[in-house]
Amino acid sequence: KIVFLFPLKGWSSIDYKGSAIHEPETDRVFIDTFKKLADKRIVIKEYNLHLEDEEFAEKVVEHFMEILE
């Protein structure tokens, strides 16, 4: 099983709302294109979190544990 998790509020330590490189519209285009072109067996999850949010780390662990089962 393959799972991709996308954090919708930023993908790096310097990609927070208000930073010069924060481009949620560009991220959306990337995610939508990825979903369109990805193998249909790949599970794609989107979370309204930042990559560095503790809640996002919890989601990563949650999905990892599901894969291990």
Side-chain angles (χ1 to χ4, degrees), residues 2 4 7 10 13-14 19 21 24 44-46 48 54 60 63:
I2 299 171
F4 275 83
S13 62
I14 58 173
S19 76
I21 66 164
I44 299 170
K45 299 285 185 171
E46 299 177 33
N48 196 29
E54 185 175 334
V60 170
H63 288 287

Side-chain angles (χ1 to χ4, degrees), residues 14 19 29 34-36 38 42-45 48 51 64:
I14 58 173
S19 76
V29 170
F34 184 91
K35 289 166 75 171
K36 182 175 144 185
I42 295 174
V43 176
I44 299 170
K45 299 285 185 171
N48 196 29
L51 178 73
F64 180 71

Side-chain angles (χ1 to χ4, degrees), residues 14-22:
I14 58 173
D15 181 20
Y16 280 96
K17 186 175 182 178
S19 76
I21 66 164
H22 182 71

